[in-house]
């Protein structure tokens, strides 16, 4: 589910920040970028959390990506697969390893453009934080939580542009987006539907062979997913604090 993907992406982003010995605030930014990036593969479905995240803009983008995924599936499916062709939209093209690399490369490229880094940080932080806060009902109404997410993301985006030495460099933005998207793909690998991890290579006569965990679970119906989501949200702040105390003295 979207909240689970965002939570695991937040953990991945924080982990990247800690490994690179970023300061605590920068690690939080890395975490939120990772959380937003972990939703990007689901832009192949207009009805998904990512597809509805920024209204008409992401809805149109999702429709284009879904059409592209269907077209690529139709052109690259093997003769074996075409005997029983699939829809080829959701969980196909954007859930491949090359797609994760493309997401990262595009984000890194945008971050090189003036104001680009701030825009990427704002968009992904708002997407990731907004999704995580969907389940935090104690923090107020849905509208209040959405405003909180956008407000925090706006501050982080502004800091990226205005505070010297604060914003993540373009290469780190690209790395965070790649890692977040990859976390999403690996998360879907744990489920019964699986993901085409080997694409564009052929496995057992199929280019879109769906790999899945040896012990898969059903999305939204398993305590495993709840445990993964909750564990990610608990471990992330611990990691941020630990990373700050582990920094070498200046």
């Amino acid at each position: 589910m979207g909240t689970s993907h965002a939570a695991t992406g937040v953990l991945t982003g924080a982990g990247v920040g800690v490994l690179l010995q970023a300061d605590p605030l920068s690690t939080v930014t890395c975490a939120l970028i990772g959380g937003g990036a972990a939703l990007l593969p689901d832009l192949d479905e207009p009805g998904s959390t990512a597809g509805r995240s920024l209204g008409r803009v992401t809805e149109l983008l999702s429709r284009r990506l879904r059409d592209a995924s269907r077209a690529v599936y139709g052109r690259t499916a093997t003769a074996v697969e075409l005997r029983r062709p699939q829809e080829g939209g959701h969980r196909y093209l954007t859930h491949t390893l090359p797609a994760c690399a493309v997401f990262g490369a595009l984000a890194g490229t945008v971050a090189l453009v003036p104001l680009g880094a701030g825009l990427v940080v704002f968009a992904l932080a708002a997407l990731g934080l907004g999704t995580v806060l969907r389940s935090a009902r104690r923090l107020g109404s849905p509208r209040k939580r959405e405003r909180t997410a956008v407000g925090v993301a706006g501050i982080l985006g502004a800091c990226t542009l205005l505070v010297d030495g604060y914003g993540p460099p373009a290469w780190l933005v690209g790395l965070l987006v790649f890692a977040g998207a990859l976390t999403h793909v690996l998360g879907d690998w744990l489920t019964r539907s699986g993901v085409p991890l080997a694409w564009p290579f052929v496995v057992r006569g199929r280019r879109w062979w769906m790999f899945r965990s040896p012990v898969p679970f059903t999305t939204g119906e398993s305590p495993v997913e709840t445990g993964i989501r909750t564990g990610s949200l608990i471990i992330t702040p611990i990691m941020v604090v630990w990373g700050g105390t582990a920094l070498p003295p200046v």
Side-chain angles (χ1 to χ4, degrees):
M1 303 296 286
T3 304
S4 301
H5 283 307
T8 54
V10 164
L11 178 61
T12 298
V16 171
V18 169
L19 287 175
L20 295 176
Q21 294 191 325
D23 63 85
L25 183 57
S26 296
T27 299
V28 170
T29 302
C30 291
L32 295 179
I33 292 174
L39 295 167
L40 293 179
D42 274 350
L43 280 176
D44 61 356
E45 174 51 57
S48 67
T49 300
R52 294 181 284 108
S53 60
L54 298 176
R56 187 65 173 169
V57 174
T58 48
E59 181 183 351
L60 289 174
L61 178 59
S62 294
R63 293 183 184 279
R64 296 294 179 270
L65 282 176
R66 184 179 60 184
D67 292 343
S69 181
R70 289 171 175 172
V72 172
Y73 172 82
R75 293 178 181 178
T76 63
T78 65
V80 173
E81 291 169 311
L82 290 178
R83 293 173 189 168
R84 298 181 63 182
Q86 302 299 311
E87 186 264 347
H90 183 48
R91 282 208 183 191
Y92 279 81
L93 183 60
T94 61
H95 287 67
T96 64
L97 299 184
C100 293
V102 170
F103 282 133
L106 287 175
T109 301
V110 172
L112 290 172
V113 179
L115 304 181
L119 179 61
V120 172
V121 170
F122 167 73
L124 293 180
L127 180 57
L129 184 59
T131 302
V132 169
L133 291 181
R134 282 177 176 239
S135 59
R137 298 180 180 179
R138 295 180 180 180
L139 297 181
S141 65
R143 182 177 295 275
K144 181 178 180 180
R145 281 175 275 159
E146 290 176 4
R147 290 177 177 174
T148 299
V150 172
V152 172
I155 293 173
L156 295 176
C159 288
T160 299
L161 298 175
L162 302 176
V163 180
D164 185 35
Y166 167 74
W171 67 267
L172 179 54
V173 171
L175 176 61
L176 288 166
V177 171
F178 168 75
L182 180 61
T183 299
H184 178 115
V185 172
L186 294 178
D188 281 349
W189 170 78
L190 293 172
T191 68
R192 297 185 184 280
S193 298
V195 287
L197 284 178
W199 189 89
F201 302 104
V202 177
V203 176
R204 300 180 185 178
R206 299 174 184 271
R207 185 167 280 111
W208 296 95
W209 181 273
M210 291 296 180
F211 288 82
R212 59 182 61 85
S213 167
V215 187
F217 62 86
T218 301
T219 303
E221 299 179 5
S222 171
V224 175
E225 181 174 1
T226 302
I228 291 173
R229 179 175 62 248
T230 304
S232 297
L233 295 177
I234 291 175
I235 295 172
T236 296
I238 297 175
M239 185 178 294
V240 171
V241 173
W242 176 81
T245 57
L247 284 173
V250 179

